[in-house]
Amino acid sequence: MKHLLKPYLAAFMMGSLLFASTSCGSDDPKPIVVEQELITTVKLSLVPEGKGQNVTATFSDPDGDGGNAPTIETLVLAPNTTYNMTVTLSDDSKSPSKDITAEVRTEGDEHELFFTATGGLNISSVQKTDLDKNNRPVGLEATIVTGATSSGKLRVTLKHQPNLKGNTSDISKGETDVEADFPAVIQ
């Protein structure tokens, strides 16, 4: 009988040690950290419908928030003109530079660009023309219609809105990925 219990006792002891060693670990899951992309450069490219000059303007802050002030080119637009605009985004703090535009387009259901005319800038409308997979606006492409001669700023804001984007655009939802104020003149 003593010989019969020894193998079972040994197996029981080994199982107990194995159970004790695996149950001492933490069952708490590790938090998932999602790193936000750094966007240091916002470029606006505007092509007038019909005749006129193409317009580009770039906001560049290669060292990110803080540090050196950004460089911002002025938008010089014609009055009473419709422009087709494309926005490109990049992280120029790295070498080589990283294009963020494709990522925002792919994750369009979590992002939206907003355009706000401030300081008396006469923009009669901004219509976002690209849509995410849920047929909601993204804003990497838009049509801008200028009004009469004026000046001010065109604020471009990219919001990160995972699970927040609704049927209507809402700049108050989500976190701001980048915001750039472009000086603008309609002349």
Side-chain angles (χ1 to χ4, degrees), residues 9-154:
L9 185 59
F12 175 74
M13 293 298 286
M14 289 298 285
S16 297
L17 283 173
L18 182 62
F19 177 75
S21 68
T22 59
S23 64
C24 287
S26 172
D27 290 335
D28 294 334
K30 299 277 187 230
I32 297 172
V33 177
V34 178
E35 285 190 34
Q36 291 291 100
E37 292 290 348
L38 177 62
I39 300 172
T40 62
T41 304
V42 178
K43 182 177 180 183
L44 307 180
S45 301
L46 295 95
V47 177
E49 290 183 356
K51 60 183 180 175
Q53 296 282 14
N54 292 355
V55 177
T56 60
T58 304
F59 166 93
S60 179
D61 193 6
D63 65 352
D65 285 340
N68 296 324
T71 58
I72 309 166
E73 297 172 346
T74 300
L75 278 169
V76 180
L77 305 170
N80 305 311
T81 303
T82 300
Y83 289 92
N84 294 311
M85 181 176 66
T86 309
V87 180
T88 54
L89 309 164
S90 62
D91 176 2
D92 295 335
S93 70
K94 298 178 171 107
S95 183
S97 178
K98 182 178 179 186
D99 181 15
I100 308 293
T101 311
E103 182 178 330
V104 170
R105 188 178 315 282
T106 301
E107 298 174 2
D109 60 324
E110 298 181 359
H111 292 91
E112 187 169 356
L113 281 148
F114 295 89
F115 306 94
T116 309
T118 64
L121 184 64
N122 192 349
I123 299 284
S124 37
S125 73
V126 177
Q127 181 69 41
K128 300 167 195 170
T129 57
D130 58 333
L131 303 173
D132 66 18
K133 65 184 179 184
N134 299 315
N135 289 322
R136 295 181 180 137
V138 178
L140 290 169
E141 298 169 14
T143 301
I144 291 184
V145 180
T146 61
T149 302
S150 62
S151 64
K153 292 187 179 185
L154 180 64

